[in-house]
Amino acid sequence: MKSQRIAIAGGQGKIGKHIVEGLLGIKQLYSLEIIVLSRSESPDVSYAGSSAPVIAVDYNDQASLQEVLNRYKIDTIISTTSGFSPDPFISSQINLLQAALTVPTFRRFAPSEFTAAPSEQVADKVKLFQMKLPIIHSLRKAKQERPDSFEFSIINCGMFMNYLGYGNTKPDGHKAFGHLGAFPYIYDLSKHTADIPGDGEKQIMYTHADDVGKFVAAATQLDVWEEHFEMAGEVTTMNEILRMCEDVCGSKFDVKYNSREDVVARMSSAPEKAIENFFMENYLAIIDGDADLKRPLNLNELVDVKPMGVQEYLLRWWGN
Ligand SMILES: NC(=O)c1ccc[n+]([C@@H]2O[C@H](COP(=O)([O-])OP(=O)(O)OC[C@H]3O[C@@H](n4cnc5c(N)ncnc54)[C@H](OP(=O)(O)O)[C@@H]3O)[C@@H](O)[C@H]2O)c1
């Protein structure tokens, strides 16, 4: 059965807001009820002539979570929460699921995944993603207990394409990032450099954040949720992305190809290096093949979203 009454946990956050906007874009078409769950009071989120109220919740208080989910007769929860502390990230999603399982209308949950490669594939290397695993175990258990009345989907989307906009100097250049943060990853078009894991022949997936929102919104209108939904705006090798970046910038990039040994030498457990280390763990996952696309892009096949490709994005933000 399609989703009708949808709660987005963390929906004021970076990718969360894109997903809320995707849902608000189809709200009237399908007469949806959409609410955003937040740890604090905030004004409604408005987009495309529709809006969603932000409902303050305490993820440590099951009774208050149940009350909100019951009050809005929620059938679907999409979690987009984040954070660098495993304990609150893990417990907030598990508490939300446990509360939801007591709500008669509830039957679908998407955990906060939305990663470049499924967390289960890369968590041995990318330590931060180990905190994404407990909710997946809880979801599998819930599905075993209620095979006919509950479904969940682990939704992945590759890298957010918007990071390729870092450093652009268009007058409206900040719009390149959408609601995301701005930083370079692998490619820095503002410096004409690339820092590539391995020999560049591994594939990389990119999806624009707006398209992630549209894909997830469209997925709510599918009758059946598969355990994995994969989407992409483009899947190609890192060397091919490099060629596209060089073409649009009109110059050769200064490229560093990092061997496994190069990446290991750059790793550090120092707290101030946490982000750099997270990137290096991702580089290792790419080099070792853990991050390879191992499933078909089923969401691209199942819904009618025509995502932006990398070339189109680059021309928009780096073309003349
Ligand atoms: N594919 C990619 O390229 C890529 C890149 C970045 C992130 N991601 C993934 O996207 C997901 C969301 O990341 P994001 O960067 O969009 O998140 P974010 O903006 O940093 O945070 C989302 C929201 O989470 C809520 N939150 C923070 N700490 C929480 C806690 N302890 N308990 C409950 N809620 C909490 C906050 O909402 P309130 O304050 O309103 O409660 C926040 O606005 C993550 O799973 C992340 O791994 C993917």
Side-chain angles (χ1 to χ4, degrees), residues 51-63:
S51 63
V54 177
I55 313 297
V57 291
D58 177 355
Y59 290 104
N60 297 314
D61 180 350
Q62 290 260 341

Side-chain angles (χ1 to χ4, degrees), residues 9-300:
Q12 295 184 101
K14 297 192 259 316
I15 195 59
K17 199 157 186 192
H18 285 279
I19 291 173
V20 172
E21 290 179 353
L23 286 163
L24 290 175
I26 61 166
K27 176 179 169 168
Q28 290 174 23
L29 188 60
Y30 299 109
S31 305
L32 306 179
E33 181 77 34
I34 297 162
I35 64 169
V36 171
L37 305 180
S38 170
R39 292 163 303 162
S40 53
E41 305 276 348
S42 292
D44 294 0
V45 179
S46 297
Y47 180 77
S50 291
S51 63
V54 177
I55 313 297
V57 291
D58 177 355
Y59 290 104
N60 297 314
D61 180 350
Q62 290 260 341
S64 83
L65 289 168
Q66 281 170 10
E67 189 280 316
V68 169
L69 299 173
N70 266 313
R71 181 167 16 120
Y72 287 93
K73 298 187 171 54
I74 293 301
D75 55 57
T76 299
I77 295 176
I78 299 168
S79 173
T80 64
T81 58
S82 190
F84 279 90
S85 310
D87 290 350
F89 177 82
I90 292 168
S91 62
S92 60
Q93 289 199 97
I94 286 183
N95 288 347
L96 187 55
L97 174 65
Q98 294 312 330
L101 288 168
T102 69
V103 173
T105 50
F106 170 74
R107 55 200 167 65
R108 274 182 171 172
F109 194 106
S112 187
E113 180 84 1
F114 308 108
T115 36
S119 54
E120 288 180 303
Q121 266 177 230
V122 296
D124 279 350
K125 304 258 160 50
V126 185
K127 301 287 178 277
L128 187 67
F129 288 172
Q130 287 173 2
M131 69 183 186
K132 290 175 179 278
L133 305 183
I135 185 68
I136 296 176
H137 297 151
S138 299
L139 288 164
R140 289 216 172 97
K141 186 161 174 282
K143 176 78 182 162
Q144 257 175 7
E145 288 166 1
R146 309 177 174 201
D148 300 325
S149 59
F150 176 69
E151 47 188 12
F152 68 95
S153 191
I154 301 164
I155 306 179
N156 293 99
C157 54
M159 288 303 299
F160 298 142
M161 195 180 289
N162 309 60
Y163 298 137
L164 294 170
Y166 173 81
N168 86 84
T169 55
K170 297 274 183 202
D172 58 348
H174 63 284
K175 292 184 183 163
F177 317 119
H179 304 302
L180 306 180
F183 57 85
Y185 180 69
I186 301 182
Y187 309 94
D188 185 340
L189 286 87
S190 68
K191 293 190 180 140
H192 293 190
T193 58
D195 181 57
I196 292 180
D199 64 4
E201 286 305 306
K202 283 281 187 195
Q203 287 192 319
I204 187 163
M205 275 167 71
Y206 279 107
T207 310
H208 193 286
D210 280 343
D211 291 330
V212 174
K214 288 180 196 161
F215 272 117
V216 174
T220 67
Q221 298 313 301
L222 292 172
D223 285 317
V224 177
W225 269 17
E226 298 182 14
E227 180 168 321
H228 287 271
F229 278 143
E230 299 277 348
M231 70 184 90
E234 179 127 9
V235 184
T236 189
T237 65
M238 288 178 284
N239 281 335
E240 184 53 31
I241 299 286
L242 172 65
R243 276 189 284 276
M244 290 185 204
C245 294
E246 289 179 336
D247 275 357
V248 77
C249 293
S251 77
K252 283 280 169 202
F253 277 25
D254 184 5
V255 184
K256 175 166 169 46
Y257 288 101
N258 294 270
S259 67
R260 199 175 198 287
E261 295 68 34
D262 294 333
V263 174
V264 169
R266 288 169 65 181
M267 297 184 89
S268 164
S269 55
E272 67 276 15
K273 298 273 186 192
I275 298 285
E276 164 79 1
N277 204 59
F278 170 68
F279 287 167
M280 290 305 108
E281 289 176 352
N282 277 283
Y283 276 26
L284 277 192
I286 292 171
I287 291 171
D288 291 349
D290 301 0
D292 288 353
L293 180 60
K294 295 185 177 161
R295 292 189 178 79
L297 297 173
N298 55 351
L299 202 48
N300 287 58

